[in-house]
Amino acid sequence: MNKAIAIINVIAWAGFWAFGFLALTAEGYTEAQLVTAALLAASGLITGIIAYLRLVRGSERSGYARPSARMTRAQRDAAQAQWGRAE
């Protein structure tokens, strides 16, 4: 499944850059064509970000990448209580 998400990620970012470039540098196109290019670029951006975040989450879960330094609820509560006493 990660391979499919990686392929979607690459295609989404390629669409973002290609249609974003068209939307920003196009001359002689109609307004509808520019809006279409901008919408396709935005959808590529959103899809690319979502796919990238899913890849990162999957690689952390599989052990391929080191998990991010997240605090547990108990650690957060202890830090908050200690911070509250420091005032």
Side-chain angles (χ1 to χ4, degrees):
M1 189 64 173
N2 277 345
K3 288 182 183 182
I5 295 172
I7 291 170
I8 290 169
N9 188 25
V10 169
I11 292 170
W13 283 112
F16 165 71
W17 287 110
F19 289 112
F21 178 77
L22 283 175
L24 292 176
T25 62
E27 292 182 20
Y29 290 124
T30 65
E31 186 175 336
Q33 290 172 325
L34 290 176
V35 169
T36 302
L39 289 174
L40 288 171
S43 67
L45 175 68
I46 292 168
T47 305
I49 290 172
I50 291 169
Y52 175 74
L53 292 175
R54 289 191 65 166
L55 284 172
V56 169
R57 189 183 323 147
S59 64
E60 286 178 351
R61 220 180 290 135
S62 70
Y64 184 72
R66 189 170 38 132
S68 57
R70 295 186 190 135
M71 299 175 82
T72 64
R73 185 172 193 74
Q75 290 172 329
R76 264 195 327 268
D77 292 342
Q80 184 68 29
Q82 185 179 10
W83 182 70
R85 280 186 264 137
E87 293 180 16

